[in-house]
């Protein structure tokens, strides 16, 4: 791999301590005595298998960030029900305006970029609907866009378990990023 093929910026983690505290409610008689310490019980709940719902408190640990990913990875990311797109760049509205030399990752063949640049120039001259569709549908999977996303630790736990050894390098990079989140080792990995 030549370099990073995804980028994450503007990370915010919300309600971490509050959700850890709440994970102790089911066994509490007095919830005022619950604290945000990560105990063996909290770790055990976080590591519970899918479907048991003992890790539900992880849904309360919310994560927001800007992610730059390839078209190929975006299609796969959309399968995760609890990753919400807040806003994103748009090929539909801006494909003819992008500096294409900056939008493709290193795996896109230079010859293809030249063809897309030619299609872009043609559309910008003609403004013809058919020329626009040729440009839009010819765009390769290595095209990178940025979106603001929100999710939670429970969803990231699923992503991590399914994608950490994925064939696409951007998924492996994303999982390395998950490992850097607060208490990721105890709660996600």
């Amino acid at each position: 791999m030549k370099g990073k093929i995804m980028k994450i910026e503007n990370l915010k983690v919300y309600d971490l301590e509050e959700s850890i505290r709440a994970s102790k409610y089911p066994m509490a008689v007095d919830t005022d005595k619950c604290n945000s310490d990560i105990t063996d019980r909290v770790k055990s709940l976080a590591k519970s298998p899918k479907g048991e719902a003992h890790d539900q408190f992880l849904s309360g640990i919310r994560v927001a960030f800007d992610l730059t990913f390839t078209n190929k990875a975006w299609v796969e990311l959309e399968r995760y029900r609890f990753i919400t797109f807040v806003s994103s760049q748009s090929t539909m509205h801006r494909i003819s305006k992008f500096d294409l030399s900056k939008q493709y990752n290193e795996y896109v063949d230079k010859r293809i970029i030249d063809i897309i640049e030619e299609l872009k120039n043609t559309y910008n001259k003609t403004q013809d609907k058919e020329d626009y569709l040729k440009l839009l549908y010819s765009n390769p999977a290595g095209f990178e866009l940025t979106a603001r996303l929100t999710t939670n630790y429970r969803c990231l736990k699923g992503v991590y378990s399914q994608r950490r050894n994925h064939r696409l390098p951007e998924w492996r990079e994303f999982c390395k990023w998950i490992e850097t989140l607060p208490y990721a080792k105890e709660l996600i990995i």
Side-chain angles (χ1 to χ4, degrees):
M1 192 164 76
K2 296 178 188 176
K4 287 208 172 209
I5 55 166
M6 62 132 244
K7 179 172 67 174
I8 295 179
E9 298 177 304
N10 302 319
L11 168 68
K12 302 269 191 274
V13 177
Y14 302 96
D15 298 331
L16 177 66
E17 291 180 6
E18 295 82 357
S19 295
I20 292 168
R21 182 178 177 271
S23 74
K24 299 172 182 177
Y25 288 178
M27 302 308 244
V29 174
D30 182 357
T31 59
D32 289 336
K33 293 183 180 174
C34 295
N35 60 37
S36 60
D37 295 342
I38 296 187
T39 62
D40 288 342
R41 173 111 175 109
V42 171
K43 291 178 199 175
S44 176
L45 292 171
K47 292 180 185 348
S48 68
K50 273 186 172 182
E52 287 187 4
H54 297 301
D55 63 353
Q56 183 63 32
F57 78 98
L58 295 174
S59 298
I61 306 170
R62 296 171 297 122
V63 183
F65 54 97
D66 295 342
L67 174 63
T68 302
F69 238 13
T70 61
N71 273 348
K72 179 64 182 142
W74 282 126
V75 170
E76 294 180 4
L77 182 89
E78 290 175 345
R79 78 180 315 129
Y80 295 100
R81 188 169 159 212
F82 296 106
I83 294 182
T84 302
F85 284 73
V86 174
S87 186
S88 67
Q89 289 181 299
S90 172
T91 52
M92 188 63 68
H93 296 294
R94 304 312 286 174
I95 187 76
S96 66
K97 306 295 181 208
F98 281 114
D99 178 350
L100 298 176
S101 67
K102 295 178 180 175
Q103 292 303 127
Y104 295 108
N105 71 18
E106 67 263 21
Y107 298 110
V108 179
D109 190 303
K110 172 79 170 93
R111 296 169 296 176
I112 294 170
I113 296 171
D114 291 342
I115 291 168
I116 300 298
E117 191 68 51
E118 182 182 314
L119 291 171
K120 179 182 122 177
N121 291 338
T122 299
Y123 169 70
N124 283 332
K125 285 178 193 161
T126 67
Q127 296 295 300
D128 182 85
K129 201 183 321 183
E130 292 296 314
D131 289 337
Y132 168 77
L133 292 174
K134 285 179 188 174
L135 169 61
L136 186 67
Y137 286 119
S138 297
N139 195 29
F143 190 76
E144 296 178 337
L145 294 171
T146 300
R148 180 73 177 171
L149 305 173
T150 61
T151 189
N152 61 63
Y153 270 36
R154 191 174 191 204
C155 183
L156 291 175
K157 176 183 166 184
V159 170
Y160 187 85
S161 71
Q162 295 170 14
R163 303 284 170 160
R164 71 179 178 270
N165 296 314
H166 198 275
R167 290 175 75 175
L168 288 181
E170 51 263 56
W171 279 118
R172 293 190 305 274
E173 287 291 318
F174 188 78
C175 289
K176 285 180 188 172
W177 168 76
I178 290 172
E179 292 172 359
T180 69
L181 292 170
Y183 300 111
K185 182 180 177 189
E186 296 84 353
L187 304 175
I188 298 173
I189 301 170

